Amino acid sequence: MTTLQDRPETLVEPEPELSPAVESSPLTYTARALRSGGISIVMLAALILGFVVYLVWISGIQHHRDQATMYAGLRDKLSQGTAPVRPAAAGTPLAILEIPRLGMREVVVEGSTSTDLMHGPGHRRDTPLPGQPGVSVLYGRSLTYGGPFSRLHLLRQADVISVTTGQGVAHYGVSEVNAKAINVPAGSPTLVLVSVDSRLAPGREFLVTATLISQVVPGNSTLPVISRPEIGLSGEPSALVPLMLWSQFLLIAAAFATWSYVRWSRWPTYIVTTPILLAGIWNVYENLARLLPNTL
């Protein structure tokens, strides 16, 4: 008969004590807030840096591509005698500007808004075309979108500037560099090139005036009235609405991309979301650039 003393003792392991839930301390919340703030600052800095790269470098590539396309088209029209000889629609290739001292050859478009000057130098629409009687004004950028007028300060008196339009080739001789104002006799055929005095902190316009030294061609009796964005050192307030819309699109696209990274595989997500994000960023940058001074 087995007694209680003969039974082997059963070892009962003590149940592990449940540790109380770790309460979130104020330090945890502070760390999360700092982390979120740091990520936001890094993303903002990346967007700003990207915008600077877009303005200084990528916009120049866009400018050279537009110039090549416009030059080919305008050259054909000039050879066929169908190039514009009177005020045309904004953005229309109008003339070919050549400055041998600067090694410059640029297609001039009609109009002088920030959007127009993204493609190349622009003709101010309320002035005569080059070669016609009166003061013809061409605006050009100094830093962004190729900066075609960035070296105007290198010009000297008597340097030749040639402008080819549908009426022929007009030759000008530089009369003044960095002029404070346009002081020419009324009706005197004059060309004025306009940019900015500083590429980093523009404060006033940089003017180069040149006098026509070739034959005057007939002008147009009436000229259009221009708006404020077509004057030097002006941006385009109309870019605010598309900027807001594209910014909202970019936020939605970023939220979708974040959700997709969690739900999908990595590479399919990259392939789907990257073009969408790049399109949003590109259009945000482009409309931001339209708000900057048109001759920057």
Side-chain angles (χ1 to χ4, degrees):
M1 182 176 181
T2 304
T3 62
L4 292 175
Q5 288 80 6
D6 298 330
R7 293 178 181 176
E9 294 184 357
T10 302
L11 297 178
V12 179
E13 295 182 0
E15 295 183 0
E17 296 182 0
L18 298 176
S19 59
V22 179
E23 297 182 357
S24 297
S25 64
L27 182 60
T28 303
Y29 289 122
T30 303
R32 290 178 179 175
L34 289 175
R35 180 181 178 184
S36 300
I39 293 175
S40 300
I41 292 174
V42 170
M43 292 178 64
L44 179 61
L47 286 173
I48 293 174
L49 178 61
F51 183 53
V52 173
V53 171
Y54 169 81
L55 287 178
V56 177
W57 181 56
I58 299 178
S59 67
I61 299 174
Q62 180 180 340
H63 164 82
H64 292 306
R65 181 202 64 189
D66 291 345
Q67 281 287 307
T69 302
M70 292 190 301
Y71 180 76
L74 183 58
R75 183 178 56 184
D76 290 341
K77 290 185 177 181
L78 289 171
S79 63
Q80 298 169 9
T82 59
V85 294
R86 57 179 55 86
T92 301
L94 195 68
I96 298 175
L97 171 68
E98 296 179 282
I99 306 179
R101 175 177 285 276
L102 305 182
M104 177 198 296
R105 187 191 68 189
E106 289 279 327
V107 176
V108 178
V109 300
E110 180 73 310
S112 51
T113 65
S114 189
T115 299
D116 297 328
L117 299 188
M118 289 178 175
H119 309 294
H123 167 247
R124 182 164 158 167
R125 297 185 306 116
D126 64 340
T127 66
L129 296 180
Q132 297 178 354
V135 179
S136 178
V137 179
L138 303 181
Y139 286 102
R141 292 182 178 270
S142 179
L143 174 65
T144 60
Y145 291 90
F149 281 9
S150 61
R151 298 187 297 157
L152 291 185
H153 62 281
L154 298 178
L155 289 173
R156 299 292 180 265
Q157 286 191 355
D159 282 345
V160 175
I161 300 174
S162 301
V163 186
T164 304
T165 68
Q167 294 177 295
V169 182
H171 298 289
Y172 292 87
V174 173
S175 55
E176 188 173 1
V177 178
N178 197 14
K180 304 302 180 184
I182 303 174
N183 297 313
V184 296
S188 175
T190 304
L191 178 68
V192 180
L193 306 181
V194 184
S195 189
V196 291
D197 61 337
S198 171
R199 293 190 289 178
L200 298 179
R204 67 177 183 85
E205 294 179 333
F206 185 94
L207 307 177
V208 173
T209 60
T211 304
L212 185 68
I213 55 179
S214 59
Q215 187 69 31
V216 180
V217 297
N220 298 293
S221 57
T222 59
L223 295 172
V225 178
I226 65 173
S227 58
R228 175 62 191 175
E230 297 180 77
I231 300 174
L233 294 174
S234 299
E236 284 186 78
S238 61
L240 280 172
V241 173
L243 174 60
M244 294 175 61
L245 293 176
W246 279 110
S247 298
Q248 293 175 3
F249 171 84
L250 182 59
L251 288 175
I252 295 172
F256 170 74
T258 303
W259 177 83
S260 300
Y261 293 151
V262 176
R263 303 284 295 184
W264 296 351
S265 299
R266 178 179 299 179
W267 287 110
T269 301
Y270 289 160
I271 294 173
V272 172
T273 60
T274 299
I276 298 174
L277 292 173
L278 289 178
I281 292 173
W282 180 277
N283 283 279
V284 167
Y285 286 172
E286 191 171 75
N287 284 285
L288 273 175
R290 291 174 58 195
L291 294 174
L292 297 177
N294 53 357
T295 49
L296 179 63

